[in-house]
């Protein structure tokens, strides 16, 4: 089997044939299909598969033991995402075990592949939810009460899928099994293309957060309400979105995005009564990110007042900037013949785990450099090479 073959088996799961984008929210039918695919491939390799109390799936080569080597990634996607973000790391891990076995490697330590739920935070709003639950980086009560767009709570959705929400939360016994974590992921930028290299090693993750802005106005009739008689939250929110982009552009190295904008009730001939939109803001210096967001908050308050509306900005997810373990990064680079070190602007479960266990990342070249879009891409040769590279770094840790 090869990584490209493994990915071919799931290429149609959750894919929108019109746009080519993937829709695989955590514990949705498409992501459940991917979980079944993973369990099937793991069992076909004789791995022992278990789902822990936070919904993380573990496939073990050797008995679960503290200080094991763990690799893996996630299977959920952003709405309209690409084919590789998440599944590449999972498929490469499966194939890496085949490569290690073909080399006759007899591991001295157990190896596990972990599949983390809700890495994208696309259904319940908090990024890397599974690894946050495992490490205690999110309060279980807060997690249980998170809701999706349909108003379903995480507790109900997990319960419907056999994960008892009463047991969510920090799991020291499981965490102790992770001696080291190495995640392989598609590069979400052009670093490797520009360096003309097939594989890179993660050095850092940009701090990033998500804030929900809710603008309240006066719903009314589009035809009977004079322009001077309106408190239109869409007009106020549109100006706020402009302010977000302008303030981010004024802040060197900052990035701020509004990709989700929801007027309520959303009728063509209806002046909306409210608008919710979400800000994703990122910067290498966490203090700068937070200062940018407070400037945005002030601008939103001014613009709301100007348009006769009220506004509330609330943090939904926060991930501080991460510097990966330098020794491990150097070891990974050496094992890969001097692979280049790259910072990334994208968050990962490896970033959450890095506060608790030595964690590292490998990146596979993406010719378009585009991600969170159907144009995310990888050459078959680089995709298949991922498993060899991952096997190379794991072999050193297992032998
Ligand atoms: O949003 C991110 O940075 C990651 O893709 N979850
Ligand atoms: Mn992603
Ligand atoms: Mn990802």
């Amino acid at each position: 089997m090869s990584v490209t073959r493994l990915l071919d088996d799931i290429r149609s799961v959750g894919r929108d044939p019109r746009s080519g984008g993937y829709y695989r929210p955590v514990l949705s039918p498409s992501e459940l299909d991917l979980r079944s695919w993973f369990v099937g491939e793991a069992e076909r390799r004789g791995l022992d598969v278990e789902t822990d109390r936070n919904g993380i799936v573990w496939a073990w080569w050797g008995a679960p033991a503290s200080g094991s080597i763990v690799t893996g990634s996630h299977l959920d996607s952003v709405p309209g995402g690409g084919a590789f973000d998440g599944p590449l790391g999972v498929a490469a891990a499966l194939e890496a075990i085949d490569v290690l076995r073909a080399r006759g490697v007899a591991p001295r330590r157990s190896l596990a592949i972990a599949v983390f739920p809700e890495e994208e935070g696309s259904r319940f709003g908090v990024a890397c939810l599974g690894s946050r639950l495992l490490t205690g980086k999110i309060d279980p009560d807060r997690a249980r009460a998170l809701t999706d767009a349909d108003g379903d709570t995480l507790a109900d959705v997990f319960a419907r899928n056999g994960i008892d929400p009463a047991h969510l939360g920090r799991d020291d016994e499981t965490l102790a099994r992770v001696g080291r974590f190495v995640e392989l992921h598609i590069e979400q930028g052009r670093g490797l293309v520009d360096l003309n290299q097939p594989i890179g090693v993660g050095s850092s993750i940009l701090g990033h957060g998500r804030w929900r802005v809710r603008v309240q106005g006066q719903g009314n009739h589009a035809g009977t309400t004079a322009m001077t008689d309106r408190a239109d939250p869409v007009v106020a929110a549109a100006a706020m979105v402009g302010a977000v982009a302008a303030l981010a552009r004024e802040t060197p190295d900052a990035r701020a995005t509004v990709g989700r904008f929801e007027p309520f009730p959303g009728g063509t001939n209806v002046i909306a009564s409210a608008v919710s939109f979400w800000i994703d803001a990122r910067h290498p210096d966490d203090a700068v990110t937070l200062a940018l967001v407070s400037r945005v908050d002030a601008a939103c308050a001014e613009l709301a007042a100007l348009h006769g509306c009220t506004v509330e900005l609330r943090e939904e997810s926060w991930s501080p900037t991460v510097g990966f373990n330098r020794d491990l990064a150097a070891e990974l680079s050496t094992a890969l013949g001097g692979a280049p070190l790259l910072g990334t602007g994208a968050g990962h479960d490896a970033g959450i785990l890095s506060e608790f266990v030595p964690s590292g990342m490998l990146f596979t070249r993406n010719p378009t450099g585009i991600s969170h879009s159907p144009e995310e891409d990888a050459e078959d040769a680089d995709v298949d090479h991922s498993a060899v590279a991952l096997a190379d770094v794991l072999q050193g840790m297992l032998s």
Side-chain angles (χ1 to χ4, degrees):
M1 184 76 87
S2 66
V3 183
T4 44
R5 274 287 317 281
L6 281 167
L7 291 176
D8 280 346
D9 291 348
I10 57 171
R11 201 165 293 284
S12 63
V13 177
R15 183 175 182 275
D16 175 349
R18 292 159 306 175
S19 67
Y22 286 87
Y23 293 78
R24 298 162 165 175
V26 69
L27 297 176
S28 65
S30 55
E31 202 244 8
L32 288 170
D33 282 352
L34 294 182
R35 282 172 172 242
S36 307
W37 160 80
F38 172 68
V39 171
E41 288 298 335
E43 289 174 345
R44 206 188 321 281
R45 288 164 174 78
L47 307 181
D48 293 325
V49 182
E50 60 185 12
T51 300
D52 72 12
R53 57 189 168 90
N54 289 308
I56 303 166
V57 186
W58 301 83
W60 286 94
W61 181 15
S66 69
S68 300
I69 304 300
V70 179
T71 184
S73 192
H74 62 95
L75 294 171
D76 65 301
S77 78
V78 294
F84 301 94
D85 180 351
L88 175 61
V90 175
L94 289 163
E95 182 66 19
I97 286 181
D98 296 347
V99 172
L100 290 167
R101 283 173 169 165
R103 290 177 184 174
V105 172
R108 277 190 310 107
R109 281 198 275 184
S110 295
L111 171 69
I113 304 174
V115 174
F116 292 94
E118 187 66 332
E119 187 279 337
E120 296 292 2
S122 294
R123 182 167 185 179
F124 294 104
V126 176
C128 299
L129 189 69
S131 50
R132 286 178 201 266
L133 283 167
L134 170 65
T135 57
K137 293 298 281 184
I138 185 168
D139 174 78
D141 286 336
R142 177 176 174 227
R144 280 186 277 266
L146 293 172
T147 56
D148 65 12
D150 298 329
D152 282 339
T153 65
L154 179 138
D156 289 345
V157 172
F158 271 44
R160 279 206 297 268
N161 288 281
I163 303 162
D164 184 346
H167 298 150
L168 294 177
R170 182 169 172 130
D171 183 347
D172 286 315
E173 186 192 344
T174 300
L175 191 54
R177 291 174 176 172
V178 188
R180 283 181 156 191
F181 179 63
V182 179
E183 178 173 2
L184 182 136
H185 201 281
I186 185 77
E187 189 197 349
Q188 294 164 299
R190 290 187 48 84
L192 292 172
V193 173
D194 295 344
L195 291 169
N196 193 24
Q197 294 284 332
I199 198 93
V201 174
S203 58
S204 62
I205 292 181
L206 214 49
H208 55 287
R210 302 177 188 188
W211 289 263
R212 176 177 182 164
V213 181
R214 187 168 164 72
V215 188
Q216 187 67 42
Q218 176 56 58
N220 212 327
H221 193 294
T224 58
T225 314
M227 294 308 284
T228 50
D229 291 344
R230 295 181 179 209
D232 185 340
V234 170
V235 176
M240 293 173 192
V241 173
V244 168
L247 289 167
R249 273 196 289 270
E250 283 169 20
T251 311
D253 298 324
R255 292 134 201 222
T257 310
V258 174
R260 190 177 163 201
F261 186 97
E262 296 175 358
F264 178 83
T268 304
N269 56 352
V270 174
I271 301 171
S273 56
V275 171
S276 286
F277 66 88
W278 283 260
I279 301 170
D280 175 311
R282 310 192 188 205
H283 189 276
D285 180 339
D286 295 340
V288 172
T289 309
L290 298 173
L292 169 60
V293 173
S294 65
R295 283 200 301 279
V296 166
D297 195 8
C300 288
E302 248 180 67
L303 288 164
L306 190 66
H307 293 277
C309 296
T310 57
V311 66
E312 181 205 18
L313 176 143
R314 195 179 57 209
E315 179 187 293
E316 286 204 340
S317 181
W318 173 247
S319 312
T321 287
V322 166
F324 281 118
N325 179 301
R326 287 172 187 230
D327 294 342
L328 178 54
E331 181 187 323
L332 297 175
S333 175
T334 305
L336 297 172
L341 268 62
L342 297 168
T344 178
H348 302 279
D349 292 300
I352 301 293
L353 287 172
S354 67
E355 187 183 332
F356 299 88
V357 296
S359 300
M361 292 198 75
L362 303 184
F363 295 118
T364 297
R365 176 167 47 191
N366 170 348
T368 65
I370 294 172
S371 184
H372 286 188
S373 156
E375 290 156 84
E376 179 182 83
D377 194 16
E379 305 291 344
D380 287 357
D382 288 345
V383 167
D384 290 334
H385 174 69
S386 302
V388 174
L390 187 57
D392 287 348
V393 304
L394 293 174
Q395 185 167 347
M397 299 175 187
L398 293 169
S399 307

